[in-house]
Amino acid sequence: MSRIKNKFQDLRSKNQKALIAYVMAGFPSEKGTISAVRGLTKGGADIIELGMPFSDPLADGPVIQNAGFQALQKGMNFEKFLAIVKKIRKETDIPLVLMTYTNLLYRHGYEKFISIVKSVGIDGLILPDMPIDESGDFLKAARKYKMDTIFLISPNTSSERIKKIASTSSGFLYLVSVFGTTGGQQQFQNYTTHAIKNAKKILVGKIPLGVGFGVSNPDQAKFIIKSGADAIIVGSAFLRLMENTTVEKIEGKIEHFTKSLKKATISE
Amino acid sequence: MKLKYPKNGKFGEFGGRYIPETLVPAVEELEQAYLKYKDDADFKKELHYYLTQYAGRPTPLYFAENLTKIAGGAKIYLKREDLLHGGAHKINNTLGQGLLAKRMKKKRIIAETGAGQHGVATAMACSALGLDGEVYMGYKDTQRQKLNVFRMNLLGSKVHPVKEGTQTLKDAINEAIRDWITNVKTTYYLLGSAVGPHPYPVMVRDFQSVIGNEILTQMKKLEKKSPDSVIACVGGGSNAIGTFYPLIDENTKMFGIEAGGEGVKSGHHSATLVGGSKGILHGMLTYLLQDKEGQISETHSISAGLDYPGVGPEHSYLKDAKRVKYDAVNDKEAVEAFLLLSKHEGIIPALESSHAIAYAVKMAKNMPKSESIVVTLSGRGDKDVEEVGRYLNKNVKNKK
């Protein structure tokens, strides 16, 4: 069984929901990423998404754009990404999901890319610019290497299409909570609650539902979980926390914030 | 050979829809609307009205006698898209898509622009058709094309300078797509070139095919045959695909000219088809300028409209099928052609089109006088006079 599936099963038995945390590999530095991951695991994050920067991240808001841009400026590349994953894997068995854009996989060749990242310990892939309609070759390679494929759905995805996407996904299904790019929202609107409830109804427990884009504090996390999500996904809020922090302080700061978010996933 | 409609949104392996899920319903809605209206009599009538009465179609096919003499070979004809309202071929597409947006009941229009020509054409269409226009433009481009920023504002559209990434056309597209994701229900994304996710490459090609269709009719009248060769510049490739597509089954050689910048070997260029590799950007699989890991490269060209690391997927297909030959012309040659046409024909061409002119002169020399070349003069060069001035200044100084 995959690490991701295991994790969700384990959480179910404890009556908890999952906290999925996103950090950008190489931001603010390679060391900073390792420190952040330590803070995340100590603070109780359940799954970690590692972003691999792409020059043209069209689904991302300003915070992740900036983090990716800085990481690339500092020389982040595939080899360094693999080195970071290897270091993380020496310290923890936490499920690791790679989030990046399709071109980086396409350029290497889907199969080659997936086999390499799998071998260093990546458990799943999220590609925001890969809809199921284009996923043939990608899926074939992912299945061959038992890589989880986490596809996204949106509040405007039809019920029929949600079914199709869910059956193509493994690990969990990623619901984009809002119309927009990644990053903080002031307040969620009714349509988000509706989208979560509708997706849950369609999924009938076949695959966990993670909800992300704009979840940035414990109150929002609680709200999303109350609406029925199996996992909250938080990204930009972690990166913002790291923006003006020295490497030495990252671990502690992240741990503290992670704990506050994790609390929201444990039913009282 | 002729592709009536791409299968599953693809030209061979190229094209497709590599887009965030939020946009899937939007492109499906767009495709349905396009299929519904493209052959609709009322739609065609209204588009024809605006193209003839507002934009100034048909455009002349002008025999450039002086340029022909200088080249000393084949006859050179210019398809005068520069005479269209707004000064470029872009209006063919913005009127078409603007009318479609209206039928789709979308009042808010967003667009990206490089040199500013598509932005201006969008602003004009919005103004004429009663739509609200907002245009994303790379900050670097707003600086080198100030006149067009001013024009867009005059025409009632809002310009958003984009300071992300390389601050040019590709970043303007990224930002427009982000806006579209955020405002997907109310907003129509009016893409300016034959790029992006399906159905844009097909739809933009169809709206621009008026260029090639007119060339064919005009040449049959003037020369009693289809042209021996056609030449068009290629950035995203909309004027080129509009020129080529109607002629694909003719006995016509086709040449797409990309921006060679400081030379394709220098690495400072925008010649995607000449020097690029396959990849995925802006929703399509196509040739791209990228590094070995798939990060998109910074491009260079003196002409902002060609300064783009991707290209329309149909061009990628036509390259691999060897139906069109793609080649590059560098900054220096383009500026020389700009000066040549201005001085000898009294026509100031856009720097984009100057690339095609430069190639035509080179090619005509080696062709018999009995043959003819049609060059699509995609736009006029008023917007470029400052840039050319800067270029000449710099290069005269360098020589000293």
Side-chain angles (χ1 to χ4, degrees):
Chain A
M1 203 188 321
S2 83
R3 283 198 188 97
I4 300 172
K5 211 171 170 186
N6 247 332
K7 174 63 80 174
F8 275 104
Q9 230 172 48
D10 181 43
L11 289 169
R12 242 191 322 272
S13 70
K14 291 193 230 164
N15 204 18
Q16 288 182 16
K17 304 297 181 188
L19 168 62
I20 302 176
Y22 172 99
V23 287
M24 173 67 80
F27 174 81
S29 60
E30 288 158 61
K31 257 191 180 164
T33 304
I34 304 280
S35 305
V37 169
R38 278 189 198 128
L40 290 172
T41 48
K42 281 190 186 165
D46 298 298
I47 295 171
I48 293 173
E49 278 180 25
L50 274 177
M52 166 131 173
F54 176 52
S55 52
D56 293 79
L58 52 77
D60 284 307
V63 176
I64 295 183
Q65 275 179 54
N66 177 48
F69 182 72
Q70 286 194 31
L72 285 174
Q73 290 272 308
K74 288 178 184 161
M76 189 64 205
N77 60 28
F78 191 48
E79 205 187 311
K80 287 178 181 170
F81 178 84
L82 297 175
I84 289 175
V85 177
K86 281 183 197 162
K87 273 188 195 154
I88 294 171
R89 269 286 166 255
K90 277 187 190 157
E91 298 182 13
T92 170
D93 205 36
I94 195 167
L96 290 176
V97 175
L98 164 55
M99 185 162 181
T100 191
Y101 286 81
T102 304
N103 195 46
L104 300 191
L105 278 77
Y106 180 84
R107 183 77 167 134
H108 281 85
Y110 292 122
E111 195 171 329
K112 192 175 155 204
F113 186 100
I114 290 171
S115 71
I116 294 172
V117 297
K118 180 76 187 185
S119 73
V120 296
I122 293 289
D123 301 299
L125 279 165
I126 304 174
L127 303 172
D129 61 343
M130 166 70 85
I132 51 166
D133 322 77
E134 302 290 354
S135 68
D137 294 342
F138 163 68
L139 274 179
K140 229 166 88 186
R143 296 215 166 116
K144 186 169 168 188
Y145 293 95
K146 298 194 168 51
M147 177 69 78
D148 279 329
T149 52
I150 297 135
F151 284 90
L152 296 94
I153 59 172
S154 172
N156 60 353
T157 309
S158 69
S159 297
E160 199 184 323
R161 197 169 157 88
I162 291 176
K163 268 184 211 158
K164 257 197 227 163
I165 297 172
S167 69
T168 315
S169 301
S170 56
F172 64 94
L173 186 65
Y174 192 137
L175 169 67
V176 174
S177 64
V178 291
F179 293 108
T181 50
T182 54
Q185 297 290 316
Q186 295 301 316
Q187 215 176 356
F188 286 107
Q189 293 174 33
N190 286 338
Y191 76 78
T192 298
T193 320
H194 178 80
I196 296 170
K197 287 191 170 145
N198 181 50
K200 282 299 287 180
K201 209 163 70 194
I202 294 164
L203 299 179
V204 288
K206 280 183 185 158
I207 188 165
L209 181 71
V211 178
F213 279 44
V215 187
S216 62
N217 62 47
D219 284 344
Q220 289 174 327
K222 264 183 212 155
F223 174 82
I224 295 292
I225 283 167
K226 226 177 92 189
S227 305
D230 301 302
I232 49 159
I233 306 165
V234 180
S236 295
F238 282 114
L239 297 180
R240 265 197 297 266
L241 207 62
M242 291 155 74
E243 264 170 5
N244 297 307
T245 307
T246 55
V247 175
E248 295 73 38
K249 287 191 177 156
I250 285 178
E251 187 179 327
K253 258 191 164 179
I254 295 275
E255 182 186 345
H256 182 75
F257 183 52
T258 307
K259 278 182 177 158
S260 72
L261 286 168
K262 180 57 198 171
K263 245 191 218 161
T265 70
I266 303 171
S267 44
E268 287 141 14
Chain B
M1 182 64 211
K2 195 157 180 168
L3 292 166
K4 264 290 175 237
Y5 203 81
K7 233 181 166 181
N8 308 319
K10 297 231 162 96
F11 303 94
E13 68 184 294
F14 301 105
R17 277 178 184 162
Y18 295 85
I19 48 173
E21 189 61 32
T22 307
L23 295 181
V24 170
V27 294
E28 279 173 357
E29 183 192 0
L30 175 61
E31 182 179 18
Q32 275 162 19
Y34 180 60
L35 290 175
K36 181 176 168 191
Y37 290 113
K38 75 184 181 94
D39 299 317
D40 174 79
D42 282 341
F43 180 81
K44 279 165 59 177
K45 199 175 143 194
E46 198 177 355
L47 179 57
H48 184 259
Y49 170 81
Y50 279 101
L51 286 176
T52 52
Q53 302 304 308
Y54 182 74
R57 298 215 74 92
T59 59
L61 187 66
Y62 177 69
F63 173 48
E65 202 177 343
N66 301 336
L67 193 66
T68 300
K69 272 186 195 147
I70 289 167
K75 284 184 181 172
I76 301 173
Y77 285 92
L78 304 176
K79 180 58 176 164
R80 300 289 310 272
E81 295 299 292
D82 62 314
L83 291 176
L84 283 173
H85 181 46
H89 70 291
K90 295 290 186 187
I91 193 103
N92 300 328
N93 172 47
T94 59
L95 286 172
Q97 287 199 54
L99 290 170
L100 188 62
K102 264 187 106 163
R103 279 167 173 73
M104 290 170 75
K105 309 256 183 293
K106 310 246 181 193
K107 200 168 182 299
R108 179 173 181 263
I109 305 291
I110 54 168
E112 82 296 337
T113 196
Q117 290 305 100
H118 174 58
V120 166
T122 299
M124 285 171 170
C126 285
S127 179
L129 303 176
L131 300 161
D132 302 324
E134 292 182 38
V135 180
Y136 289 92
M137 185 170 187
Y139 179 74
K140 192 174 148 193
D141 292 336
T142 62
Q143 293 304 300
R144 56 179 170 176
Q145 299 287 353
K146 279 188 184 147
L147 177 67
N148 275 342
V149 176
F150 191 64
R151 289 166 86 199
M152 285 182 266
N153 286 327
L154 274 179
L155 294 161
S157 280
K158 201 169 162 185
V159 179
H160 301 288
V162 177
K163 294 197 171 175
E164 277 76 31
T166 58
Q167 308 187 342
T168 59
L169 179 57
K170 90 174 164 75
D171 309 286
I173 296 179
N174 290 341
E175 214 46 40
I177 291 176
R178 291 184 188 117
D179 180 317
W180 197 22
I181 293 171
T182 309
N183 302 296
V184 64
K185 282 184 190 161
T186 57
T187 299
Y188 182 97
Y189 180 21
L190 207 166
L191 237 171
S193 193
V195 298
H198 176 68
Y200 283 105
V202 177
M203 182 169 67
V204 176
R205 174 201 71 200
D206 289 351
F207 287 135
Q208 292 295 358
S209 287
V210 66
I211 302 172
N213 283 323
E214 283 180 13
I215 289 174
L216 198 55
T217 313
Q218 289 165 323
M219 279 304 277
K220 288 202 165 150
K221 219 169 162 185
L222 288 162
E223 294 283 339
K224 311 284 179 272
K225 61 174 184 178
S226 49
D228 298 296
S229 294
V230 290
I231 303 176
C233 63
V234 179
S238 71
N239 90 80
I241 203 69
T243 302
F244 298 158
Y245 185 67
L247 296 165
I248 272 180
D249 289 339
E250 301 293 320
N251 189 18
T252 299
K253 287 182 189 150
M254 301 183 178
F255 301 86
I257 308 307
E258 298 191 301
E262 293 162 15
V264 175
K265 280 180 191 155
S266 74
H268 299 281
H269 64 90
S270 309
T272 311
L273 291 162
V274 174
S277 53
K278 290 172 198 172
I280 295 162
L281 179 69
H282 295 148
M284 58 181 168
L285 201 164
T286 190
Y287 278 92
L288 300 176
L289 293 173
Q290 56 184 335
D291 70 12
K292 67 179 196 321
E293 296 204 346
Q295 305 291 352
I296 306 306
S297 307
E298 202 159 328
T299 54
H300 169 83
S301 169
I302 189 168
S303 96
L306 302 182
D307 208 348
Y308 179 60
V311 67
E314 195 165 357
H315 287 293
S316 293
Y317 176 77
L318 292 171
K319 171 196 156 84
D320 280 9
K322 295 192 164 54
R323 177 63 186 93
V324 178
K325 180 175 163 55
Y326 295 90
D327 211 335
V329 156
N330 65 30
D331 287 350
K332 184 168 170 281
E333 297 168 296
V335 170
E336 282 164 9
F338 177 95
L339 299 173
L340 189 73
L341 198 71
S342 301
K343 189 168 177 193
H344 296 284
E345 291 290 357
I347 297 169
I348 301 173
L351 274 172
E352 290 77 14
S353 322
S354 300
H355 288 73
I357 301 286
Y359 199 80
V361 174
K362 276 200 278 189
M363 223 175 75
K365 283 188 175 129
N366 302 315
M367 286 169 66
K369 288 186 175 168
S370 57
E371 291 197 358
S372 52
I373 301 174
V374 174
V375 186
T376 298
L377 190 59
S378 56
R380 70 174 187 228
D382 308 43
K383 68 182 176 60
D384 294 316
V385 293
E386 276 185 67
E387 183 73 18
V388 170
R390 276 195 291 270
Y391 180 89
L392 292 175
N393 254 331
K394 203 171 100 189
N395 284 279
V396 170
K397 269 184 202 155
N398 284 351
K399 270 176 197 162
K400 282 177 187 169

